[in-house]
Amino acid sequence: MSMDLAEFTDRLDAELRHDDYADLDASENGLQVGPDRAEIDHVAFAVDGVRETVDRAVEAGADALVVHHGISWGGIDRVTGRTYDRIAPLIENDLALYVSHLPLDGHQDLGNAAGVADVLDLADRAPFGELGPEYIGQRGTATEPYAPDGLRDRLDSTLETGGQAARVLDFGPDEIEDVAIVTGSGADWLDEAVAADVDALVTGEGKQKVYHEAQEADINVVLAGHYATETFGVRSLQELVAEWDDDLETTYIEVPTGL
C-alpha cells in the first residue's frame, strides 16, 4: 500500500516541529527535493544526503530518502559541481529527499541525543543545549556511575563508529553521574554543561579549543564521532514510519565515516 508524499512529509514535519526551528537552523528542513504530489511505497533512511546514499537508495528501489544532513543550507545559488551530482540522480530517479537537522537532534523521544541517552541508560532526563527558545540535546543521570573510560567503552560498543574509538578528555570527576549530550558538533555547549554542573559532556566532534576549555573547567568531554552520534534519529524515524503503515517498506543505509 502506498502513501501520499504530501501526507508523509506533513506528518513528519508536525512530529519534528520543523516550524519551531525555522529561524534557528541553517538547514532547509522538510522536503528538499521532490514533486508536490507523488505516491511512495518504499522509504530509505540515512544520516547523510550524499551521492553514495542516493545511489544506494535508488538501487534499493526507494521512492523517498530521509536524512539528517541534506543538501540545502540556506539556499542553493547554482546547481553545478557536487550540488548537481547530488541533485541530478534524485530527479532522474524520482527519488524525493526529506531532511530533518536540528529538530531531529533535539527531539526528546526520537532524537539523536535521546538515542545516546538510551545507550548510556540515563534517567531523570531533561532538555539540554539551548538554541534560542528550543533545545538540541538532552541531559540525564546515569543509573550506575561511569568511570571516564567506562563511559567511552559503553559508547564504543554500541555506536557505529567506523572502527574509530571515542576520545575522552578526562579533566573532570573520576565518577560520572550527570551527563549532558549534544550530538554532532556540540562542543560549543560546553559552558552550558559547566553551568548545569554535569560531570561530562558527550558530543561527536570538538574544536581544538575544547581541550583547554574542558581542562580549565574541570569537566570530562567525550568525542564519540559526528556520524556515530547521529544515527539514532533517522533510525527512530524509520521505526515510526514503519508503525504508520506495515505495508510501507523501509531500508536503512549505513555509511559510517569514522569522523
Side-chain angles (χ1 to χ4, degrees), residues 19-194:
D19 287 346
D20 295 335
Y21 286 80
D23 296 328
L24 306 174
D25 199 346
S27 172
E28 298 290 349
N29 296 312
L31 187 66
Q32 286 194 353
V33 178
D36 292 332
R37 308 293 297 185
E39 295 292 319
I40 59 173
D41 56 27
H42 187 168
V43 184
F45 297 80
V47 173
D48 301 309
V50 294
R51 190 162 56 186
E52 181 172 358
T53 56
V54 169
D55 289 345
R56 287 174 58 178
V58 170
E59 290 174 4
D63 306 301
L65 173 62
V66 175
V67 300
H68 181 50
H69 300 128
I71 59 177
S72 180
W73 301 87
I76 296 174
D77 296 325
R78 299 176 187 273
V79 183
T80 60
R82 284 185 291 119
T83 302
Y84 179 86
D85 291 340
R86 290 181 179 179
I87 292 177
L90 292 166
I91 296 174
E92 291 168 357
N93 294 282
D94 291 325
L95 179 66
L97 179 68
Y98 182 92
V99 178
S100 186
H101 184 232
L102 294 183
L104 191 54
D105 286 322
H107 195 291
Q108 295 300 294
D109 297 315
L110 303 174
N112 290 315
V116 175
D118 288 342
V119 169
L120 296 177
D121 196 22
L122 301 186
D124 301 323
R125 300 186 193 183
F128 177 83
E130 290 187 22
L131 187 66
E134 299 296 336
Y135 293 88
I136 59 171
Q138 194 169 91
R139 60 169 293 184
T141 302
T143 54
E144 293 289 339
Y146 289 99
D149 288 348
L151 182 63
R152 178 202 60 206
D153 293 345
R154 182 67 173 267
L155 293 169
D156 279 346
S157 67
T158 308
L159 270 57
E160 292 144 348
T161 63
Q164 302 299 313
R167 182 175 183 187
V168 180
L169 306 178
D170 54 345
F171 297 128
D174 292 333
E175 190 172 88
I176 297 172
E177 294 183 299
D178 296 318
V179 180
I181 304 164
V182 178
T183 60
S185 183
D188 287 341
W189 280 266
L190 179 68
D191 287 341
E192 185 179 339
V194 173

Side-chain angles (χ1 to χ4, degrees), residues 211-231:
Y211 179 96
H212 297 288
E213 291 174 343
Q215 186 179 51
E216 292 164 3
D218 299 320
I219 188 173
N220 296 296
V221 174
V222 181
L223 307 175
H226 195 131
Y227 178 93
T229 58
E230 296 199 326
T231 63

